[in-house]
Amino acid sequence: MTDSPHARGVTTISVDLPHSPYPVHVGRGLLGEVAGLVDLGEHSRVLVVTQPPVARHHLQPLVEGLRAADHRVEVVEVPDGEGAKSPGVLAMLWTKAASIPLTRRDVVVALGGGVVGDLPGFQPATWDPRIAHVHV
């Protein structure tokens, strides 16, 4: 039996949008497998954006899996709740992107939902629209 994530019960759903199709992987225990499930290609630097409640329970396996796949990982936690959709939080994300520095060869990973699903999609689009982003 192979040790690939798909051999361990991962279901992959193809979202076939005309100009930007993408896969959705569903299964248990996949946080440490993100680097193998998502084609990060040449993306060596990863900016993970999350919130404190999510980070406490889910950040460690994601970061460990990305680092094990030789990615340089930076993490930024944004405040919980809709109030985090603010110019100040967006400026914090831009500052972090500049300090890395985040380029079109890098990727932003959103770990969580709600605000964390919105900000990491908007921030790269306003920093450099060629930056890939992944939602976990």
Short mmCIF file of all heavy atoms in Angstrom, two decimals, residues 44-85:
data_model
loop_
_atom_site.label_atom_id
_atom_site.label_comp_id
_atom_site.label_asym_id
_atom_site.label_seq_id
_atom_site.Cartn_x
_atom_site.Cartn_y
_atom_site.Cartn_z
N SER A 44 8.85 28.75 -2.62
CA SER A 44 9.68 28.35 -1.49
C SER A 44 9.26 29.03 -0.20
O SER A 44 9.47 28.52 0.87
CB SER A 44 11.15 28.65 -1.77
OG SER A 44 11.32 30.05 -1.95
N ARG A 45 8.65 30.20 -0.30
CA ARG A 45 8.22 30.93 0.90
C ARG A 45 6.70 30.88 1.00
O ARG A 45 5.99 31.06 0.01
CB ARG A 45 8.70 32.37 0.84
CG ARG A 45 10.22 32.45 0.97
CD ARG A 45 10.69 33.86 0.86
NE ARG A 45 10.44 34.34 -0.49
CZ ARG A 45 11.16 35.26 -1.09
NH1 ARG A 45 12.16 35.82 -0.47
NH2 ARG A 45 10.88 35.65 -2.30
N VAL A 46 6.24 30.65 2.22
CA VAL A 46 4.81 30.53 2.48
C VAL A 46 4.46 31.47 3.63
O VAL A 46 5.09 31.41 4.69
CB VAL A 46 4.42 29.08 2.85
CG1 VAL A 46 2.94 28.99 3.16
CG2 VAL A 46 4.81 28.11 1.75
N LEU A 47 3.48 32.32 3.40
CA LEU A 47 2.94 33.17 4.47
C LEU A 47 1.61 32.56 4.89
O LEU A 47 0.68 32.48 4.09
CB LEU A 47 2.72 34.61 3.99
CG LEU A 47 2.02 35.54 4.98
CD1 LEU A 47 2.83 35.68 6.27
CD2 LEU A 47 1.78 36.91 4.34
N VAL A 48 1.55 32.09 6.13
CA VAL A 48 0.32 31.51 6.67
C VAL A 48 -0.39 32.61 7.46
O VAL A 48 0.20 33.22 8.35
CB VAL A 48 0.61 30.31 7.60
CG1 VAL A 48 -0.68 29.78 8.21
CG2 VAL A 48 1.34 29.21 6.84
N VAL A 49 -1.65 32.85 7.11
CA VAL A 49 -2.47 33.83 7.82
C VAL A 49 -3.55 33.07 8.55
O VAL A 49 -4.26 32.24 7.97
CB VAL A 49 -3.10 34.85 6.84
CG1 VAL A 49 -3.95 35.85 7.60
CG2 VAL A 49 -2.03 35.56 6.03
N THR A 50 -3.65 33.32 9.85
CA THR A 50 -4.61 32.58 10.67
C THR A 50 -5.11 33.47 11.81
O THR A 50 -4.75 34.64 11.88
CB THR A 50 -3.98 31.27 11.20
OG1 THR A 50 -5.00 30.47 11.79
CG2 THR A 50 -2.85 31.52 12.17
N GLN A 51 -5.92 32.91 12.68
CA GLN A 51 -6.45 33.61 13.85
C GLN A 51 -6.07 32.81 15.10
O GLN A 51 -5.89 31.59 15.02
CB GLN A 51 -7.97 33.72 13.77
CG GLN A 51 -8.45 34.56 12.62
CD GLN A 51 -9.93 34.40 12.39
OE1 GLN A 51 -10.38 33.33 12.05
NE2 GLN A 51 -10.67 35.48 12.58
N PRO A 52 -5.96 33.48 16.25
CA PRO A 52 -5.53 32.77 17.47
C PRO A 52 -6.30 31.50 17.79
O PRO A 52 -5.66 30.47 18.07
CB PRO A 52 -5.68 33.84 18.57
CG PRO A 52 -5.47 35.13 17.84
CD PRO A 52 -6.10 34.93 16.49
N PRO A 53 -7.64 31.48 17.74
CA PRO A 53 -8.32 30.23 18.10
C PRO A 53 -7.99 29.08 17.14
O PRO A 53 -7.88 27.93 17.56
CB PRO A 53 -9.81 30.57 18.01
CG PRO A 53 -9.90 32.04 18.01
CD PRO A 53 -8.60 32.55 17.47
N VAL A 54 -7.81 29.37 15.88
CA VAL A 54 -7.47 28.34 14.89
C VAL A 54 -6.01 27.92 15.07
O VAL A 54 -5.68 26.72 15.03
CB VAL A 54 -7.73 28.85 13.46
CG1 VAL A 54 -7.29 27.83 12.42
CG2 VAL A 54 -9.20 29.21 13.27
N ALA A 55 -5.14 28.89 15.27
CA ALA A 55 -3.71 28.61 15.43
C ALA A 55 -3.45 27.66 16.59
O ALA A 55 -2.63 26.75 16.48
CB ALA A 55 -2.94 29.91 15.62
N ARG A 56 -4.16 27.87 17.70
CA ARG A 56 -3.94 27.02 18.88
C ARG A 56 -4.14 25.55 18.58
O ARG A 56 -3.46 24.69 19.15
CB ARG A 56 -4.89 27.44 20.01
CG ARG A 56 -4.42 28.59 20.82
CD ARG A 56 -5.23 28.76 22.10
NE ARG A 56 -6.62 29.10 21.88
CZ ARG A 56 -7.08 30.34 21.65
NH1 ARG A 56 -6.24 31.34 21.59
NH2 ARG A 56 -8.36 30.56 21.48
N HIS A 57 -5.06 25.24 17.70
CA HIS A 57 -5.41 23.84 17.47
C HIS A 57 -4.90 23.25 16.16
O HIS A 57 -4.81 22.03 16.03
CB HIS A 57 -6.93 23.67 17.53
CG HIS A 57 -7.52 24.10 18.83
ND1 HIS A 57 -7.39 23.36 19.98
CD2 HIS A 57 -8.21 25.21 19.18
CE1 HIS A 57 -7.98 23.99 20.98
NE2 HIS A 57 -8.49 25.12 20.52
N HIS A 58 -4.57 24.10 15.17
CA HIS A 58 -4.31 23.57 13.84
C HIS A 58 -3.02 24.06 13.16
O HIS A 58 -2.66 23.53 12.12
CB HIS A 58 -5.50 23.89 12.92
CG HIS A 58 -6.81 23.40 13.45
ND1 HIS A 58 -7.11 22.06 13.57
CD2 HIS A 58 -7.88 24.07 13.94
CE1 HIS A 58 -8.33 21.93 14.09
NE2 HIS A 58 -8.81 23.13 14.32
N LEU A 59 -2.36 25.04 13.72
CA LEU A 59 -1.20 25.63 13.04
C LEU A 59 0.01 24.71 13.01
O LEU A 59 0.67 24.58 11.98
CB LEU A 59 -0.83 26.96 13.71
CG LEU A 59 0.34 27.72 13.09
CD1 LEU A 59 0.03 28.11 11.65
CD2 LEU A 59 0.65 28.96 13.93
N GLN A 60 0.32 24.06 14.12
CA GLN A 60 1.55 23.28 14.22
C GLN A 60 1.70 22.21 13.14
O GLN A 60 2.73 22.15 12.48
CB GLN A 60 1.69 22.67 15.61
CG GLN A 60 3.01 21.94 15.78
CD GLN A 60 3.18 21.38 17.19
OE1 GLN A 60 2.41 21.66 18.09
NE2 GLN A 60 4.21 20.58 17.37
N PRO A 61 0.69 21.35 12.90
CA PRO A 61 0.90 20.34 11.86
C PRO A 61 1.05 20.94 10.46
O PRO A 61 1.81 20.41 9.64
CB PRO A 61 -0.34 19.44 11.95
CG PRO A 61 -1.30 20.14 12.82
CD PRO A 61 -0.56 21.16 13.62
N LEU A 62 0.37 22.04 10.20
CA LEU A 62 0.50 22.69 8.89
C LEU A 62 1.93 23.21 8.69
O LEU A 62 2.57 22.92 7.69
CB LEU A 62 -0.50 23.84 8.75
CG LEU A 62 -0.35 24.68 7.49
CD1 LEU A 62 -0.68 23.87 6.24
CD2 LEU A 62 -1.23 25.92 7.57
N VAL A 63 2.43 23.95 9.68
CA VAL A 63 3.77 24.53 9.58
C VAL A 63 4.83 23.43 9.50
O VAL A 63 5.75 23.50 8.68
CB VAL A 63 4.04 25.50 10.74
CG1 VAL A 63 5.50 25.91 10.81
CG2 VAL A 63 3.14 26.73 10.61
N GLU A 64 4.70 22.41 10.34
CA GLU A 64 5.68 21.32 10.31
C GLU A 64 5.70 20.61 8.96
O GLU A 64 6.77 20.28 8.43
CB GLU A 64 5.38 20.31 11.43
CG GLU A 64 5.72 20.83 12.80
CD GLU A 64 5.31 19.89 13.93
OE1 GLU A 64 4.70 18.83 13.65
OE2 GLU A 64 5.58 20.22 15.09
N GLY A 65 4.53 20.38 8.36
CA GLY A 65 4.46 19.74 7.06
C GLY A 65 5.07 20.60 5.95
O GLY A 65 5.78 20.10 5.09
N LEU A 66 4.82 21.91 6.01
CA LEU A 66 5.39 22.80 5.00
C LEU A 66 6.90 22.88 5.14
O LEU A 66 7.63 22.85 4.15
CB LEU A 66 4.77 24.19 5.12
CG LEU A 66 3.29 24.30 4.71
CD1 LEU A 66 2.71 25.65 5.15
CD2 LEU A 66 3.13 24.10 3.21
N ARG A 67 7.39 22.97 6.38
CA ARG A 67 8.84 23.03 6.60
C ARG A 67 9.51 21.72 6.21
O ARG A 67 10.62 21.72 5.68
CB ARG A 67 9.14 23.40 8.04
CG ARG A 67 8.84 24.86 8.31
CD ARG A 67 9.22 25.31 9.68
NE ARG A 67 8.98 26.75 9.82
CZ ARG A 67 8.62 27.34 10.94
NH1 ARG A 67 8.51 26.64 12.06
NH2 ARG A 67 8.40 28.64 10.96
N ALA A 68 8.85 20.60 6.45
CA ALA A 68 9.42 19.31 6.07
C ALA A 68 9.56 19.20 4.55
O ALA A 68 10.40 18.46 4.05
CB ALA A 68 8.54 18.17 6.60
N ALA A 69 8.74 19.96 3.83
CA ALA A 69 8.82 19.99 2.36
C ALA A 69 9.72 21.12 1.88
O ALA A 69 9.65 21.52 0.73
CB ALA A 69 7.42 20.14 1.78
N ASP A 70 10.56 21.64 2.78
CA ASP A 70 11.57 22.65 2.46
C ASP A 70 11.00 24.02 2.10
O ASP A 70 11.59 24.74 1.29
CB ASP A 70 12.52 22.17 1.35
CG ASP A 70 13.37 21.01 1.82
OD1 ASP A 70 13.73 20.99 3.01
OD2 ASP A 70 13.65 20.12 1.00
N HIS A 71 9.88 24.38 2.69
CA HIS A 71 9.34 25.73 2.50
C HIS A 71 9.72 26.60 3.69
O HIS A 71 9.72 26.13 4.83
CB HIS A 71 7.82 25.69 2.36
CG HIS A 71 7.36 24.94 1.15
ND1 HIS A 71 7.47 25.44 -0.12
CD2 HIS A 71 6.81 23.71 1.03
CE1 HIS A 71 7.01 24.56 -0.98
NE2 HIS A 71 6.61 23.49 -0.31
N ARG A 72 10.07 27.84 3.41
CA ARG A 72 10.30 28.81 4.48
C ARG A 72 8.93 29.35 4.87
O ARG A 72 8.19 29.87 4.01
CB ARG A 72 11.18 29.94 3.97
CG ARG A 72 11.45 30.98 5.03
CD ARG A 72 12.41 32.05 4.54
NE ARG A 72 12.12 33.27 5.26
CZ ARG A 72 12.17 34.47 4.75
NH1 ARG A 72 12.51 34.65 3.50
NH2 ARG A 72 11.88 35.51 5.47
N VAL A 73 8.56 29.20 6.12
CA VAL A 73 7.21 29.53 6.57
C VAL A 73 7.23 30.71 7.53
O VAL A 73 8.00 30.72 8.49
CB VAL A 73 6.54 28.32 7.26
CG1 VAL A 73 5.13 28.66 7.71
CG2 VAL A 73 6.54 27.10 6.34
N GLU A 74 6.41 31.69 7.25
CA GLU A 74 6.16 32.82 8.13
C GLU A 74 4.69 32.76 8.51
O GLU A 74 3.85 32.39 7.69
CB GLU A 74 6.44 34.14 7.42
CG GLU A 74 7.86 34.29 6.92
CD GLU A 74 8.85 34.63 8.02
OE1 GLU A 74 8.41 35.15 9.08
OE2 GLU A 74 10.04 34.39 7.82
N VAL A 75 4.38 33.14 9.74
CA VAL A 75 3.00 33.10 10.22
C VAL A 75 2.61 34.48 10.73
O VAL A 75 3.39 35.15 11.40
CB VAL A 75 2.84 32.07 11.37
CG1 VAL A 75 1.43 32.09 11.94
CG2 VAL A 75 3.21 30.67 10.90
N VAL A 76 1.41 34.88 10.40
CA VAL A 76 0.84 36.10 10.96
C VAL A 76 -0.58 35.78 11.43
O VAL A 76 -1.33 35.11 10.73
CB VAL A 76 0.86 37.29 9.96
CG1 VAL A 76 0.00 37.03 8.76
CG2 VAL A 76 0.45 38.58 10.63
N GLU A 77 -0.86 36.19 12.66
CA GLU A 77 -2.19 35.99 13.22
C GLU A 77 -2.94 37.31 13.16
O GLU A 77 -2.41 38.35 13.56
CB GLU A 77 -2.12 35.50 14.66
CG GLU A 77 -1.60 34.08 14.77
CD GLU A 77 -1.62 33.55 16.20
OE1 GLU A 77 -2.30 34.14 17.07
OE2 GLU A 77 -0.95 32.54 16.45
N VAL A 78 -4.16 37.25 12.63
CA VAL A 78 -5.01 38.44 12.59
C VAL A 78 -6.06 38.31 13.67
O VAL A 78 -6.38 37.20 14.11
CB VAL A 78 -5.65 38.62 11.19
CG1 VAL A 78 -4.59 38.81 10.12
CG2 VAL A 78 -6.55 37.46 10.84
N PRO A 79 -6.62 39.44 14.12
CA PRO A 79 -7.66 39.37 15.15
C PRO A 79 -8.88 38.58 14.68
O PRO A 79 -9.15 38.49 13.49
CB PRO A 79 -8.03 40.84 15.38
CG PRO A 79 -6.90 41.62 14.85
CD PRO A 79 -6.30 40.81 13.74
N ASP A 80 -9.58 38.04 15.63
CA ASP A 80 -10.80 37.29 15.36
C ASP A 80 -11.94 38.27 15.07
O ASP A 80 -11.98 39.35 15.62
CB ASP A 80 -11.13 36.46 16.61
CG ASP A 80 -11.71 35.10 16.27
OD1 ASP A 80 -11.82 34.79 15.08
OD2 ASP A 80 -12.05 34.36 17.21
N GLY A 81 -12.85 37.89 14.21
CA GLY A 81 -14.06 38.66 13.99
C GLY A 81 -14.01 39.62 12.82
O GLY A 81 -12.95 39.93 12.28
N GLU A 82 -15.18 40.08 12.42
CA GLU A 82 -15.32 40.95 11.26
C GLU A 82 -14.57 42.27 11.41
O GLU A 82 -14.22 42.89 10.42
CB GLU A 82 -16.80 41.22 10.98
CG GLU A 82 -17.55 40.02 10.45
CD GLU A 82 -17.06 39.55 9.09
OE1 GLU A 82 -16.97 40.39 8.17
OE2 GLU A 82 -16.79 38.35 8.95
N GLY A 83 -14.32 42.71 12.64
CA GLY A 83 -13.57 43.94 12.87
C GLY A 83 -12.15 43.88 12.32
O GLY A 83 -11.50 44.90 12.13
N ALA A 84 -11.67 42.67 12.06
CA ALA A 84 -10.31 42.51 11.51
C ALA A 84 -10.26 42.93 10.04
O ALA A 84 -9.17 43.12 9.50
CB ALA A 84 -9.84 41.07 11.66
N LYS A 85 -11.40 43.08 9.40
CA LYS A 85 -11.43 43.56 8.02
C LYS A 85 -11.28 45.08 8.07
O LYS A 85 -12.24 45.83 7.94
CB LYS A 85 -12.73 43.18 7.32
CG LYS A 85 -12.88 41.71 7.07
CD LYS A 85 -14.17 41.44 6.34
CE LYS A 85 -14.46 39.99 6.21
NZ LYS A 85 -15.76 39.74 5.56
#
